[in-house]
Amino acid sequence: MTAAAPTAAAVPGRRGAKNTRRKVLFVFGAALAVVLGLAVIAIALAKPEPDEPQCPPEDAVCGQPPRNDAPPLVSGILWRSASTGVQMEYYPRLWKVVEQDDTNLKLSLSIPGRSDIDLFLWVRAAPAGPKLPGELAEQRVSDLREDILGLEEDTDPKHALLGPSIGYVDADVGAAYAGATDTPQGPGKPVSVLLMAATDGRASVVVSAASTFSDRHIFGLADSLLNTLRWPSQPVPR
Amino acid sequence: MTSEAPRTTISCPDCGFEVPALPYCVRCGEWLADDLASHPTARRGFGAAPNESRFAPKLSTLFPQLPRNEMDTFQLALGAGVLVLLALSIGRLFPLALVAAAVLTPLLLILYLWEVDLYEDEPLNVLGLTIAWGAVAGVAMGFLSKAVVDVDAGFVAERTGTTVVLLGLVLPLVSVALMLAGPLVLLPYRKFNDVLDGATFGAAAAVTFVGAELLTHASAYLAGGLRPVGLIVPWTLRVVALGIVIPVLAAGAVGGAAGSLWLRYRAPARDRRALGLLGNPAVAVPLAGALLVAGAFVQLYTREWLQLALLAVIALAALLWLRNVIDVGLRQESAEIEIGPPVACANCGKDTPRHTFCASCGVSLQALPKSTRPPRRPGPAPPEAA
């Protein structure tokens, strides 16, 4: 085995490893810091104005009974859970059925010409015995986390769910949550979720309403819909 | 090679050429010593890093032209970048973590191209049709995906067949076509006729595309403030996937497909079948699409740890493919090149006859700027671009 001739040519374009290391790390760190700094400024500038709460958190009366300024449902379509006795009406011009069976009703708000407004309502009824409202609510959060990235309870007082009730029965569980839509192309819009669970002693119901619309008044439409829910212990209107 | 009979040349058992009797073949990088046990991997290593196996999907796959001592620097930078991602996620600064995830890999790749100085005489063409093209096409794809599929609460409620087909199949396939389109413009140029060039161009365009698409697609979320409500663990896992795993997947798949195109249309005829079916563009390009589609479906139907694990498996497969494309590419020119005068290896610093691989450490000498490479033997060459 022989060594190559000792008169080696200098390799063009190469620098000392130590200097190169410092330079690469410096440029990398500086570039990352600049990008993150610009991102902080851009995000701060783009942040929306904080929304005003519908009711001051210290006002216990405000919010009870639930505000209802949506048009009344006159001749809605009736969904009835035979196994639990729970029933609810929805207006087909506003609500599109996504899925329904004996215990579940999934509705999506569909306003012609307003594709920017979205609201998804998911009602589940169960016999009161086996499932407590709290358990139903936990299960619902778990289900929603399959589709909403990082879904977590939103404890901001401005987003508090005041006087939660389903079909005029006070809810045992009522909370606001927030997360983000997620696709293979990356996370998308922030999602707001309101979740309630209640029981009348004969049936338990859990309801979630999710929307990416920036104006939280949109949840008023879900509220008015839930006022049509009838429990098995309540008289059924003609 | 035997110690009792010193020889100046030896017939390489791999490429068959008569080469200097040194530890590594200067033409193909084969380990020439008899005692294979003393070889770092006990078999022929990866052309760009002979101390590593060809079947170990390591960082040298993405930065094949880096000398070993500079690889540490990039590993350090990548590690620091990952720590930044984790710190931002754990600090609940999810929008900033998304921005860091989008720029981390492209930034490292730009630094790499700058550091190896490989395209010093054509920086605008190369950077324009790889990095800049990837960024512009990624932004366009981000807007297109938002326009085609309005992902709102309805997406939470109902994943229709149409939505799934668009998000999981159509958009990833269009993305592959866009990622390849920029680098393909460079295919006819004779000065970019190495398989390694194609693989580098494809990988560079892919990572910038993915980063730009992520930033564009997430713009609605970024506008929501610095510390939105969210669980730390799901966000951290997602950010790691978006910042590391998916760019690696895209770089492996698109780099492999681009390398196969270069292998088919720019490599010497005898090398065109060196990779078998994986080197055939008719198979390689659809395979790249299939890898990205698989990644998209994993993201549609799995969450958190399972999603990260499955994406990592796909990304490793893509990286392995790219590694073998590069390995073939690094050896392809050897038969056409005369053994030149000694040069100092940029990796180990020892003198080596100027050719394709360092005779002392076995690293590919392709990190040299093209103007310093030994000339090819005269012979038929693919047509030059108009």
Side-chain angles (χ1 to χ4, degrees):
Chain A
M1 181 185 299
T2 59
T7 53
V11 181
R14 308 312 308 178
R15 295 163 287 272
K18 273 189 178 175
N19 289 338
T20 298
R21 169 174 289 201
R22 276 200 211 108
K23 194 186 288 182
V24 167
L25 291 177
F26 174 77
V27 172
F28 173 73
L32 197 58
V34 167
V35 169
L36 290 179
L38 290 174
V40 168
I41 295 170
I43 291 169
L45 290 176
K47 186 181 178 184
E49 292 292 317
D51 46 342
E52 291 296 320
Q54 292 180 38
C55 295
E58 64 277 8
D59 186 347
V61 177
C62 179
Q64 295 178 1
R67 182 177 153 185
N68 183 359
D69 52 4
L73 299 177
V74 179
S75 57
I77 291 179
L78 190 68
W79 169 76
R80 189 168 194 283
S81 166
S83 61
T84 62
V86 172
Q87 64 180 52
M88 199 177 86
E89 288 177 68
Y90 60 90
Y91 194 52
R93 289 200 172 208
L94 275 182
W95 296 94
K96 186 184 80 171
V97 176
V98 175
E99 190 182 322
Q100 64 177 330
D101 56 32
D102 181 52
T103 54
N104 286 282
L105 176 64
K106 295 181 181 180
L107 298 173
S108 179
L109 184 68
S110 176
I111 302 177
R114 291 302 305 268
S115 59
D116 57 320
I117 297 178
D118 65 311
L119 181 61
F120 163 56
L121 191 82
W122 181 3
V123 179
R124 184 189 167 198
K131 291 272 186 183
L132 297 172
E135 292 172 4
L136 287 174
E138 278 178 23
Q139 181 60 47
R140 175 60 51 84
V141 171
S142 175
D143 290 342
L144 290 174
R145 279 185 179 144
E146 291 293 311
D147 298 311
I148 300 175
L149 177 61
L151 187 71
E152 188 185 34
E153 186 168 355
D154 184 355
T155 54
D156 187 337
K158 294 195 294 288
H159 300 157
L161 184 58
L162 301 175
S165 69
I166 302 174
Y168 299 108
V169 169
D170 287 344
D172 299 281
V173 178
Y177 288 79
T181 58
D182 193 18
T183 69
Q185 288 70 37
K189 300 173 186 171
V191 183
S192 302
V193 176
L194 295 182
L195 182 129
M196 293 181 286
T199 182
D200 71 340
R202 292 166 63 181
S204 296
V205 171
V206 60
V207 177
S208 60
S211 177
T212 63
F213 195 57
S214 54
D215 188 345
R216 298 177 74 89
H217 287 96
I218 190 70
F219 288 111
L221 289 174
D223 203 17
S224 62
L225 190 65
L226 290 177
N227 290 337
T228 69
L229 188 140
R230 293 288 172 268
W231 295 86
S233 59
Q234 292 174 333
V236 178
R238 291 185 180 182
Chain B
M1 192 168 59
T2 57
S3 57
E4 61 270 15
R7 299 162 59 181
T8 55
T9 60
I10 188 173
S11 179
C12 173
D14 189 50
C15 66
F17 281 95
E18 199 70 16
V19 292
L22 293 166
Y24 289 90
C25 172
V26 295
R27 287 185 179 275
C28 69
E30 174 73 6
W31 176 246
L32 296 178
D34 285 333
D35 183 10
L36 279 178
S38 66
H39 188 274
T41 57
R43 58 183 168 182
R44 197 183 79 183
F46 177 45
N51 56 316
E52 297 173 359
S53 165
R54 278 181 295 160
F55 305 102
K58 294 190 174 180
L59 198 60
S60 56
T61 315
L62 291 180
F63 307 127
Q65 287 124 331
L66 270 184
R68 207 178 305 167
N69 55 0
E70 292 179 32
M71 190 68 74
D72 295 345
T73 307
F74 278 75
Q75 281 175 343
L76 198 62
L78 178 62
V82 173
L83 285 180
V84 169
L85 290 186
L86 295 177
L88 291 172
S89 299
I90 291 168
R92 291 177 181 270
L93 297 164
F94 306 129
L96 280 185
L98 278 179
V99 173
V103 301
L104 174 60
T105 321
L107 184 57
L108 280 173
L109 212 83
I110 291 169
L111 270 177
Y112 160 70
L113 290 176
W114 166 70
E115 175 59 19
V116 298
D117 233 3
L118 195 61
Y119 306 107
E120 59 188 3
D121 52 343
E122 286 282 346
L124 290 181
N125 274 352
V126 170
L127 293 180
L129 288 164
T130 56
I131 303 285
W133 168 257
V136 170
V139 168
M141 192 62 188
F143 282 119
L144 179 70
S145 62
K146 284 165 69 166
V148 170
V149 185
D150 186 21
V151 177
D152 54 18
F155 183 68
V156 176
E158 178 191 27
R159 291 184 181 182
T160 62
T162 308
T163 309
V164 169
V165 167
L166 283 172
L167 291 175
L169 188 67
V170 176
L171 293 181
L173 291 180
V174 174
S175 298
V176 170
L178 285 174
M179 289 180 213
L180 281 172
L184 275 181
V185 177
L186 295 168
L187 179 62
Y189 288 82
R190 184 178 291 174
K191 64 178 68 173
F192 306 127
N193 63 354
D194 298 345
V195 169
L196 189 58
D197 292 332
T200 303
F201 297 156
V207 295
T208 47
F209 181 99
V210 169
E213 183 188 25
L214 170 60
L215 277 183
T216 312
H217 195 84
S219 56
Y221 187 77
L222 299 181
L226 277 175
R227 295 192 76 190
V229 176
L231 285 177
I232 289 175
V233 171
W235 266 107
T236 304
L237 296 173
R238 189 72 178 123
V239 162
V240 168
L242 291 166
I244 307 290
V245 183
I246 292 171
V248 167
L249 195 170
V254 178
S260 77
L261 286 161
W262 258 255
L263 190 65
R264 171 66 183 80
Y265 296 110
R266 305 302 300 187
R270 68 180 158 67
D271 289 330
R272 289 177 185 167
R273 298 185 191 280
L275 258 181
L277 279 177
L278 290 181
N280 182 345
V283 175
V285 175
L287 177 63
L291 286 168
L292 261 70
V293 167
F297 274 93
V298 164
Q299 293 172 81
L300 276 172
Y301 287 108
T302 62
R303 286 285 169 263
E304 301 187 13
W305 292 103
L306 179 62
Q307 181 187 85
L308 189 63
L310 291 175
L311 284 175
V313 169
I314 301 170
L316 288 178
L319 205 60
L320 201 56
W321 176 27
L322 176 62
R323 194 171 175 88
N324 278 275
V325 169
I326 290 172
D327 190 63
V328 166
L330 287 174
R331 295 164 205 280
Q332 73 173 61
E333 281 189 320
S334 63
E336 299 181 341
I337 301 174
E338 301 283 6
I339 295 177
V343 294
C345 171
N347 183 53
C348 66
K350 294 180 181 171
D351 296 347
T352 177
R354 188 155 74 174
H355 203 276
T356 309
F357 292 87
C358 172
S360 296
C361 68
V363 78
S364 167
L365 298 179
Q366 300 283 45
L368 291 172
K370 296 211 171 200
S371 58
T372 68
R373 290 190 194 170
R376 286 185 173 197
R377 281 176 181 165
E384 179 60 280

